[in-house]
Each structure stands twice: as structure tokens, then as C-alpha cells.
């Protein structure tokens, strides 16, 4: 039985909702989380493979309301982040030598030597900062697998990077929860779409700033390398 929370604190069963009522996407998502907690954690786990920051912060909104458990959410986030890293590492490792891998080698042949002498040497730092840049956080473990990094070394680096990422993102998520408790859950729920958009904008601008610093550093390293050549 689905239970719909109303703005005045009361609730009604699904059967009592008129069939003509059209629920907003976020209201439907809230209903799903309330009535299917296990599937919600599965969806969060899958979402971490696509966009980890926004997925976790959106889940934090529901955790702040008590609809998801913080402890379970943190465990799912850590396992999902590490599983994503390992999946893309394996993809890079086993793609090399295939038809697609040979196409990549031809397409980016001028980068191979530079990557070997710069990317792998600085992999620990790159893996740490790339956690906060969309899609680069997936390209990084892919390249590690492609270049044959030892799996034990890879796991040590990414276990540390994922723990730090999880600590930072949990603090941000807890701050979101505190803001919700101050503003009031009812007001937030009435404007939850705007809250989600605000979170997405904040994450994307933060990622853009980090990406700019990241790419400048790589460009400087490449220029230094080319000058030596």
C-alpha cells in the first residue's frame, strides 16, 4: 500500500488518491523511497556508476527526513564507488587488444608515451582529485587498467581516495540535512525540485572549478614534458 505524505503532516493511502491526480517527479520519487527502501538502495548503488556526487546528495535529502538510513546509505555509497572504480579498471584492462582498443590506440597514439611517463607516475594525486570531476572519475581507473597497473596498488590508492571522498560528501550531505531541519521538511518537500536543481548546480560548478585546476596542471606537465623532448 502506498502512503502519500501531505503538507499538513497527515497522510493518505494510495487507494484514497483520485486517479486524476498527477504526481510530480520528485513526489513520485519520494513515494518510491518510502515504499521500496531496498530498491532505493539498489538504485543509489547503480546511480553511483553514473554520477556519484549528485546521486549521494539527492539520497541525503531523503536520509535527512528519516526515509533512508544514514549508516546504510554510507555503506552503499562506499561499496558503489569502489565497485565503479574496479569495473572501469577491468574495462580498461580487458579492452586493450580488442578491436575497440586498437581504435583507441590509433586515435590517441600521440598521448601514449606522455601518459606512460606522467599519468602513471602521478596516478595517486590524479585518482584523488578526479573523484570530484564527472566522467574523469571513470576515465582515471579505465586508464589505470589500460596501462596495466597492479591491482593491489590500484586498490590501495582507490580505497584511500574513496574514503576521503565519502567523508567529504557525507559532511556535505549532513549539511543539507541540517539545512532541511532548519528550513523545515514541509517547505523543502514542497519545493524539492528546486532543492535538487540547486544541489545539481552547486555540484557542477564545483566540478568545473576543480576540473579547471586539474586540466591546467596536466597541461603544465605536458608542456614541461614536450620542452624536454
Amino acid at each position: 500500500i502506498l502512503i502519500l505524505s501531505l503538507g499538513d503532516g497527515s497522510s493518505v493511502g494510495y487507494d484514497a488518491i483520485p486517479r486524476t491526480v498527477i504526481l510530480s517527479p520528485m513526489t513520485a520519487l519520494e513515494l518510491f523511497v518510502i515504499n521500496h527502501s531496498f530498491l532505493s538502495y539498489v538504485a543509489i548503488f547503480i546511480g553511483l556508476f553514473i554520477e556519484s556526487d549528485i546521486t549521494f546528495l539527492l539520497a541525503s535529502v531523503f536520509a535527512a527526513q528519516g526515509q533512508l538510513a544514514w549508516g546504510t546509505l554510507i555503506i552503499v555509497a562506499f561499496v558503489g564507488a569502489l565497485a565503479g572504480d574496479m569495473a572501469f579498471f577491468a574495462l580498461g584492462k580487458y579492452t586493450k587488444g580488442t578491436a575497440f582498443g586498437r581504435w583507441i590506440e590509433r586515435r590517441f597514439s600521440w598521448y601514449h608515451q606522455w601518459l606512460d611517463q606522467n599519468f602513471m607516475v602521478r596516478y595517486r594525486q590524479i585518482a584523488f582529485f578526479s573523484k570530484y570531476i564527472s566522467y574523469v572519475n571513470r576515465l582515471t581507473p579505465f586508464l589505470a587498467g589500460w596501462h596495466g597497473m597492479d591491482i593491489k596498488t590500484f586498490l590501495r590508492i582507490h580505497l584511500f581516495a574513496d574514503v576521503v571522498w565519502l567523508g567529504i560528501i557525507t559532511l556535505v550531505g549532513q549539511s543539507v540535512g541540517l539545512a532541511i531541519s532548519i528550513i523545515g521538511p514541509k517547505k523543502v518537500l514542497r519545493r524539492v525540485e528546486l532543492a535538487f536543481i540547486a544541489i545539481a548546480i552547486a555540484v557542477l560548478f564545483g566540478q568545473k572549478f576543480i576540473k579547471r585546476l586539474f586540466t591546467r596542471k596536466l597541461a603544465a606537465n605536458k608542456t614541461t614534458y614536450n620542452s624536454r623532448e
Side-chain angles (χ1 to χ4, degrees), residues 9-201:
S10 59
S11 61
V12 297
Y14 176 79
D15 291 338
I17 302 175
R19 294 300 182 267
T20 57
V21 172
I22 299 177
L23 301 178
S24 70
M26 290 302 297
T27 302
L29 182 57
E30 183 189 2
L31 285 173
F32 180 84
V33 171
I34 292 172
N35 293 278
H36 305 284
S37 59
F38 176 77
L39 291 179
S40 298
Y41 290 119
V42 173
I44 292 168
F45 179 85
I46 296 173
L48 289 165
F49 281 72
I50 303 171
E51 175 46 66
S52 54
D53 293 342
I54 292 178
T55 297
F56 186 88
L57 292 178
L58 179 59
S60 297
V61 173
F62 298 104
Q65 302 170 58
Q67 295 164 353
L68 293 173
W70 275 111
T72 305
L73 176 59
I74 290 172
I75 293 172
V76 169
F78 176 74
V79 174
L82 185 60
D85 292 340
M86 294 179 65
F88 281 89
F89 175 86
L91 182 64
K93 181 177 180 179
Y94 294 108
T95 295
K96 191 171 186 178
T98 64
F100 178 65
R102 289 190 291 272
W103 176 84
I104 293 177
E105 289 180 337
R106 291 193 303 270
R107 180 68 176 80
F108 301 100
S109 58
W110 59 282
Y111 255 119
H112 292 325
Q113 186 178 5
W114 181 83
L115 285 172
D116 287 337
Q117 298 185 17
N118 291 270
F119 180 82
M120 299 308 295
V121 172
R122 297 175 174 84
Y123 186 80
R124 187 180 299 275
Q125 297 93 316
I126 293 173
F128 179 84
F129 287 107
S130 68
K131 294 296 297 182
Y132 309 94
I133 307 175
S134 293
Y135 307 113
V136 178
N137 55 6
R138 294 298 172 234
L139 179 61
T140 300
F142 176 88
L143 289 174
W146 179 276
H147 286 270
M149 175 177 282
D150 177 67
I151 184 63
K152 293 181 180 179
T153 302
F154 176 84
L155 285 175
R156 283 198 302 270
I157 293 173
H158 280 266
L159 278 170
F160 174 75
D162 288 338
V163 167
V164 174
W165 170 82
L166 185 59
I168 293 173
I169 203 71
T170 299
L171 286 176
V172 176
Q174 292 281 2
S175 299
V176 171
L178 179 61
I180 290 175
S181 65
I182 294 174
I183 298 172
K186 295 178 184 178
K187 292 182 179 179
V188 173
L189 287 176
R190 290 170 185 168
R191 298 174 176 82
V192 71
E193 292 92 346
L194 296 178
F196 172 70
I197 293 173
I199 290 173
I201 291 174

